Amino acid sequence: VEKIEEQLASLHIAKRSMLSEEPAYLLDIDISKSAQPESSRFVAVSCSNKSIRVYNRETLNFLREYSSCPGILNGVRFAHTCDSIVFSACSDGTVKCWDIRLATQKAVQIFRGYPSNVFISFDINCSDLIICAGTEKVGKDTFLVFWDARGITNCASAAKEPLGVYSESHNDDITKICFHPIEPNLVVSGSTDGLVNVFDINKDNEDDALVSTCNSDSSISFIGWSGKDYKQVYCMTHDEGFCWWDIAQLDTEEPITLLHVLDVRDAVCVGNNSLHYLVGGLYHEKADKLFLVGGTSTGTIHLISCDTDGLHLVGTLCGGHAATVRSFCWNVAEESLLTGGEDAQLLLWKPGATERSPAKKASLKIASSVQKRVRVHSSPFKSRKK
C-alpha cells in the first residue's frame, strides 16, 4: 500500500491538451478498455458545450467531436468489449452511441426513453448488454430506464425502445448510476433524495431487485464500488460529505456503515493548500485501497486515502490546472491519471513523468459557469430499510 501511495504522490504531468478553439468545461472522462495492445487507444471527454471530444490516449491529440445540440450530454462511457463505441446520455430523453471508426458525426444508435424523460446520468454494464439511465424529477416521477444494448445497428433511425423502468425507489433527480465492475446484474444509483440504492436487475420486479438502500442524508454527487470483489459502495455528496458501506454485511449482525464523514473539507489536513471540493473516488485493485480525489478552485488536486479509521492526504498534484477540476479517469493498466477542468485543459499524469513542452500555455478560467443541475435537500428523509 505504501508503494502505491508513493506512486500516486509521484504523479507528474506527461501530456497536456488545450481545448482552445471553443473552450469548455471538461465534465466527464472515460478511456477505451480494449485489452488488445495493438488496438487504438482513445479518451472521450464530455464537455459543457454539449459535445463529446475524442483524443488519442497516449498523445492527447484531438481526433473528432460529436455534438447533440440542442440537447445536453451527460456522462461518457466506452463499451467494455469494443474500444471504438462510445455512449452518452442526453437531456432530450435519449442515450446516444457513436462509432469513432466512422467518418459520420451522427449517432449510430439511439436508445429512446419515454416522452417526459430528461436523462442526467447513465452507465452500461460490464458485459455491454444493458444500458441504464436516470432521469430528472418531472412532476412526481423519477425513473431508472433500461435498454438492451446488443446489436449496434449503424441505423440511428431504428431507435431502441426501453426494456422497462424502475420508478419507486427514488423520489428526486437520479444524479449517478454505476454498474458493478464484474457482476453484470448489479447496479447502484444515487439521487438528490440522499439515497444510494443497489439493485439486482435479474430479479423480476423492482421490489425484489432492490438489494439495499443506504441513506447519505444529503444530495449525491458521485458513487462507486470498492473493496475485494467490489462488495462495498461509497458516495460523495454535493456538500462534500462521504459515505462508505459494506454490502456484504447486509445479512449479518455487523454494521453496514464503514465510514461516514459529514464534511471532508474539515476532516482532511492538507496544509496551506486547502481542500475546497471532492471530484470522485478510485478503487486501486492491486492495493485493495480506496482513494478520493479532491481539489481547490485554483486547480490543485489532492489524493486522499480512505480507511475505516478516517481519511488521510496521500499527495498533492500542483502546476497542472488553473481552475476547478471537474473530472478524472484512472488508467489501471498504466497507473496513470487523466484530469479535466474548468480551464478547458485535459492533462495526463504519470508517475515520475516530465512535461516536454517548454512553453506552458496560459490558461484562464472560463467566464461562463455551468450551474449544478441538482438541489441540496435539507429536509429529513424517510427511514428506509438497509
Side-chain angles (χ1 to χ4, degrees), residues 263-292:
D263 192 332
V264 172
R265 294 169 295 188
D266 298 332
V268 181
C269 180
V270 294
N272 294 332
N273 291 316
S274 57
L275 179 66
H276 297 162
Y277 57 84
L278 293 172
V279 189
L282 65 91
Y283 173 66
H284 198 294
E285 274 191 357
K286 282 185 188 173
D288 183 22
K289 188 84 171 172
L290 177 61
F291 296 94
L292 310 186

Side-chain angles (χ1 to χ4, degrees), residues 240-258:
E240 315 310 336
F242 171 73
C243 297
W244 189 18
W245 300 284
D246 189 349
I247 303 303
Q249 302 291 359
L250 278 172
D251 299 321
T252 73
E253 296 301 313
E254 296 297 317
I256 184 176
T257 301
L258 297 172

Side-chain angles (χ1 to χ4, degrees), residues 43-87:
V43 179
V45 181
S46 175
C47 304
S48 61
N49 65 351
K50 305 179 181 179
S51 75
I52 287 177
R53 288 170 173 164
V54 180
Y55 299 84
N56 179 290
R57 204 161 91 189
E58 294 303 312
T59 64
L60 297 193
N61 289 338
F62 173 77
L63 299 175
R64 57 180 65 230
E65 183 172 25
Y66 301 99
S67 175
S68 71
C69 289
I72 297 169
L73 291 168
N74 288 289
V76 61
R77 292 285 181 277
F78 278 97
H80 297 81
T81 53
C82 179
D83 60 9
S84 63
I85 298 293
V86 65
F87 300 85

Side-chain angles (χ1 to χ4, degrees), residues 191-362:
S191 164
T192 56
D193 62 11
L195 301 180
V196 174
N197 290 327
V198 178
F199 298 95
D200 180 350
I201 61 174
N202 281 351
K203 302 296 185 184
D204 289 338
N205 57 66
E206 184 175 352
D207 278 347
D208 292 341
L210 186 60
V211 175
S212 72
T213 294
C214 305
N215 196 340
S216 74
D217 289 330
S218 190
S219 174
I220 305 296
S221 63
F222 189 95
I223 54 175
W225 299 85
S226 67
K228 187 170 167 41
D229 298 325
Y230 294 95
K231 294 185 183 298
Q232 302 163 356
V233 294
Y234 65 93
C235 78
M236 287 151 211
T237 64
H238 285 108
D239 52 5
E240 315 310 336
F242 171 73
C243 297
W244 189 18
W245 300 284
D246 189 349
I247 303 303
Q249 302 291 359
L250 278 172
D251 299 321
T252 73
E253 296 301 313
E254 296 297 317
I256 184 176
T257 301
L258 297 172
L259 187 66
H260 186 182
V261 180
L262 289 175
D263 192 332
V264 172
R265 294 169 295 188
D266 298 332
V268 181
C269 180
V270 294
N272 294 332
N273 291 316
S274 57
L275 179 66
H276 297 162
Y277 57 84
L278 293 172
V279 189
L282 65 91
Y283 173 66
H284 198 294
E285 274 191 357
K286 282 185 188 173
D288 183 22
K289 188 84 171 172
L290 177 61
F291 296 94
L292 310 186
V293 179
T296 72
S297 57
T298 54
T300 299
I301 299 170
H302 296 303
L303 302 171
I304 301 158
S305 70
C306 183
D307 296 292
T308 51
D309 62 350
L311 305 173
H312 313 280
L313 183 69
V314 171
T316 297
L317 309 183
C318 301
H321 292 281
T324 299
V325 173
R326 297 288 292 268
S327 55
F328 72 92
C329 186
W330 175 249
N331 184 338
V332 176
E334 298 177 3
E335 300 196 329
S336 61
L337 183 70
L338 281 157
T339 57
E342 295 186 4
D343 57 1
Q345 290 191 99
L346 177 64
L347 299 184
L348 173 63
W349 307 76
K350 291 185 175 182
T354 54
E355 189 176 4
R356 291 187 178 176
S357 56
K360 195 162 131 183
K361 297 177 184 176

Side-chain angles (χ1 to χ4, degrees), residues 178-196:
C178 186
F179 275 99
H180 194 279
I182 50 180
E183 298 284 350
N185 57 307
L186 294 179
V187 63
V188 60
S189 60
S191 164
T192 56
D193 62 11
L195 301 180
V196 174

